[in-house]
Amino acid sequence: MTYLWGGMILIGVLYGAFAGNLQAVTEAVVSSAGEAVSLCITMAGITAMWTGIMKIAENAGLVSQLAGRMRPVLKFLFPGLEPDSPACHYISLNFLSNLFGISWASTSAGLKAMEELDRLNKEECRRYGKTGRRSPRTASSAMCTFMIINVSSLQLIPLNMIAYRTKYGSADPAAIVGPAILATAVSTAVAVVFCKIMDGKRG
């Protein structure tokens, strides 16, 4: 990605120089940098607010109740995990954050979930030793499933997108809700089917 973005920037600057628009390129760089900082501050405030709300809900036991209702889903997606394991706890937090469209706030729970899944994967590899079919450096089925479902991320309330649209003056920022639900529902359904097919091939 570093080379890709670096190359795109370099090509843009060179094209602007050869086309005689180097001053316009410079002005665009300066204005875009300021806009990027402004957007980051706005989104940081929104993310901090919703992360705080999620933390309050977690301390009040609401997240645990919602996570308990997700157990059938987690058992279907991750049949090899214990429902009360730390991995399932963090997976639930990540899924709930994504469900409410707070994808930035779900990052920490997602990293902790992957860390727990990686630990379980290494323990399983050590338990079976050389007779196992994969090395500790190979992602487990649960790790792959979590990554794919996390990327597809079903969203009922796309708060981040609503915030973006509000920031840039949309007349109806919440108009994205319907299309977002449809798009993420389809992508998540495709992700689940794909994971189950691949699990069947592995099995």
Side-chain angles (χ1 to χ4, degrees), residues 53-72:
I53 291 175
M54 286 293 293
K55 191 64 178 177
I56 292 171
E58 184 179 358
N59 292 337
L62 180 60
V63 172
S64 298
Q65 293 180 17
L66 292 174
R69 295 179 181 274
M70 289 182 65
R71 282 189 176 184

Side-chain angles (χ1 to χ4, degrees), residues 46-47 50-51 54 96-107 155 157-160:
I46 294 171
T47 301
W50 283 104
T51 301
M54 286 293 293
L96 288 171
S97 297
N98 279 325
L99 198 63
F100 293 113
I102 325 169
S103 54
W104 288 11
S106 70
T107 302
Q155 294 185 10
I157 309 173
L159 292 174
N160 282 351

Side-chain angles (χ1 to χ4, degrees), residues 1-15 25 29:
M1 290 300 293
T2 302
Y3 293 116
L4 176 62
W5 284 106
M8 291 172 63
I9 293 172
L10 181 60
I11 290 172
V13 171
L14 290 176
Y15 179 82
V25 172
V29 169

Side-chain angles (χ1 to χ4, degrees), residues 174-196:
I176 194 69
V177 172
I181 293 175
L182 178 62
T184 56
V186 171
S187 66
T188 302
V190 172
V192 171
V193 171
F194 175 78
C195 290
K196 288 303 175 182

Side-chain angles (χ1 to χ4, degrees), residues 136-160:
R137 294 187 177 183
T138 302
S140 65
S141 176
M143 294 170 72
C144 294
T145 298
F146 174 68
M147 184 187 70
I148 293 171
I149 300 296
N150 185 54
V151 169
S152 66
S153 65
L154 173 64
Q155 294 185 10
L156 298 180
I157 309 173
L159 292 174
N160 282 351

